[in-house]
């Protein structure tokens, strides 16, 4: 289970932290606020940094 997400220098996010990501998390925000970037980063982390595996 992921309970914390830290992003540093990924796409449009210079630095960001999301805490308390359990048991259900909803990402809500205005357009262009970084919701998809957070999800993309989680996907890449789950693929162990290999973008090819994330596309499978």
């Amino acid at each position: 289970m992921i309970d914390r997400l830290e992003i540093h220098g990924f796409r449009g996010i210079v630095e960001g932290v999301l805490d308390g990501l359990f048991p259900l998390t909803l990402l809500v925000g205005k357009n262009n606020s970084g919701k998809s970037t957070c999800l993309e980063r989680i996907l890449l982390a789950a693929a162990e940094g290999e973008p090819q595996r994330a596309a499978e």
Side-chain angles (χ1 to χ4, degrees):
M1 174 174 27
I2 298 171
D3 61 359
R4 179 181 173 95
L5 176 66
E6 290 186 38
I7 300 176
H8 303 279
F10 183 71
R11 298 185 94 201
I13 299 177
V14 175
E15 186 173 327
V17 176
L18 295 172
D19 268 324
L21 300 176
F22 58 89
L24 173 67
T25 301
L26 300 175
L27 296 177
V28 179
K30 295 180 180 180
N31 288 345
N32 204 27
S33 64
K35 300 177 301 293
S36 295
T37 299
C38 289
L39 294 176
E40 183 179 352
R41 187 62 190 108
I42 290 170
L43 178 63
L44 286 174
E48 298 175 0
E50 298 179 32
Q52 312 86 295
R53 288 185 64 192
E56 295 177 354

